[in-house]
Amino acid sequence: MNLAITPCWNAPEWDAAVNRLSGHPQQLWGWGQTKADHGWRTERLFLKQNGETVGCAQILIRRLPMPFRALVYVPRGPACRAEDARQVLEAVAQYARESYAATVLSIEPDWDADSNVVEQVRAAGFRPTDNTILIPRTLILDLSRTEEELLGEMSKKHRQYIRKSGREELDFREVTREELTACLSVYKETAERAGFGIHEDAYYLDIFDNLGGASPVYAAFQGQTMVAFLWLSASASTAFELYGGMTEEGERLRANYALKWLAIRSMKERGVQRYDFNGLLNDGVSKFKMGWAKHENLLMGTWDKPLSPLYPAYATAMPLARRGLSTARSAVKTLRSTALPALRAKVESLRAGRAQAPTRQG
């Protein structure tokens, strides 16, 4: 099957195709627009056979230092039927090579690790890699199940805390754009407490504006004060958690339990079929996530198709570059948390000493 590639320049047409093919929210127009606003180049490609769209791929392009030229990346895509995967991927790889002289086409599909499509991906010339952006180990709820069935899959503690936080004097609802400032304030507090990095405010506001109704944000309020929030993206088939956080008071009230249950039920009411918790690690947040069901899911992970003889050098350099970036971020965090406070304290001490020093008499 020879596929024709047609770039798409129309947002409603693109999103309709992604949703028709049960695509992931990271393949929606608004997500690509946000990445384009913050350092990537974005293209949307229809893959057609006899005029019919059988696949679509939103590709993100990042220029690399010479001699590597370019990385082309498909987050949680492409969107296509399993039986068309090989032809779709081969066509996208050819486009990436011819249009951008790319060193590699990197994909992180929304397909299970044990599905038959894995062999098609391998047959298209892709190989698994550890240079992962999106975590393949995750938890995905089947929202076609009843609320009673979903509750039955949870841990006893989770059911208890949903009831407990629901009885607190808290208001749970979807937030407006004007309330995103409060969300970001809670997020910064959470990041500081947990020690992870975040983007500048404009990035999150662009996500909300570009995705529109496909990016709902829910929050818990104690009176007028936000104590927890949960930010999603959602296509017609899949809800995907993006960000979340809570204050110390929100943690005391277990606000995140009833809040997440609200988000799950809201997505179910929309007709969304899958609720993806976006990654499981071996940390406290993942332990909280794992209490929502008795299973885990494993997606197929990150796969690269080498498009240049330079790929082996790229594959070696990429982890080293990421480790260097991680070390730099760790150093900045240490500087902010220890060195800078100590320096401020020293400056304040010197100022206090000068203020208390006797004035020299002339």
Side-chain angles (χ1 to χ4, degrees), residues 45-193:
L45 308 176
F46 283 143
L47 296 108
K48 298 186 177 186
Q49 182 186 32
N50 300 324
E52 177 191 357
T53 298
V54 298
C56 49
Q58 178 164 254
I59 64 173
L60 306 179
I61 305 99
R62 174 65 63 83
R63 287 296 173 188
L64 299 174
M66 291 298 291
F68 295 121
R69 303 297 292 274
L71 158 70
V72 176
Y73 169 54
V74 187
R76 287 293 183 260
C80 65
R81 297 178 302 178
E83 56 265 33
D84 297 328
R86 178 176 179 177
Q87 290 77 15
V88 166
L89 289 170
E90 287 176 342
V92 173
Q94 182 177 349
Y95 184 88
R97 181 188 291 113
E98 293 177 353
S99 299
Y100 295 102
T103 299
V104 59
L105 171 62
S106 184
I107 62 171
E108 291 181 322
D110 193 25
W111 296 324
D112 292 335
D114 59 357
S115 65
N116 294 332
V117 74
V118 173
E119 290 309 310
Q120 291 209 43
V121 174
R122 199 182 300 275
F126 288 79
R127 60 183 69 173
T129 174
D130 293 330
N131 289 332
T132 296
I133 297 175
L134 298 172
I135 301 169
R137 178 183 169 226
T138 187
L139 171 61
I140 301 175
L141 299 181
D142 177 2
L143 298 188
S144 68
R145 309 190 75 184
T146 67
E147 290 188 11
E148 291 72 21
E149 288 172 330
L150 292 170
L151 285 164
E153 282 290 300
M154 296 178 200
S155 71
K156 181 179 179 181
K157 183 186 74 172
H158 274 55
R159 291 194 297 271
Q160 290 174 340
Y161 283 154
I162 287 172
R163 291 192 292 270
K164 178 184 184 301
S165 58
R167 289 193 299 266
E168 299 289 350
E169 294 183 0
L170 295 172
D171 178 28
F172 298 91
R173 59 177 174 80
E174 190 170 350
V175 306
T176 65
R177 191 187 192 284
E178 289 69 29
E179 292 170 316
L180 291 182
T181 300
C183 292
L184 295 177
S185 178
V186 172
Y187 198 38
K188 291 170 186 174
E189 179 182 335
T190 304
E192 183 69 23
R193 194 167 63 241

Side-chain angles (χ1 to χ4, degrees), residues 239-271:
F240 186 65
E241 291 188 353
L242 293 176
Y243 316 107
M246 60 182 168
T247 64
E248 291 184 350
E249 179 66 5
E251 186 172 4
R252 185 186 72 79
L253 295 170
R254 310 290 185 182
N256 53 335
Y257 288 86
L259 179 61
K260 193 180 291 284
W261 182 231
L262 167 65
I264 292 169
R265 288 186 292 115
S266 297
M267 293 298 100
K268 180 175 172 60
E269 290 170 6
R270 275 196 189 202

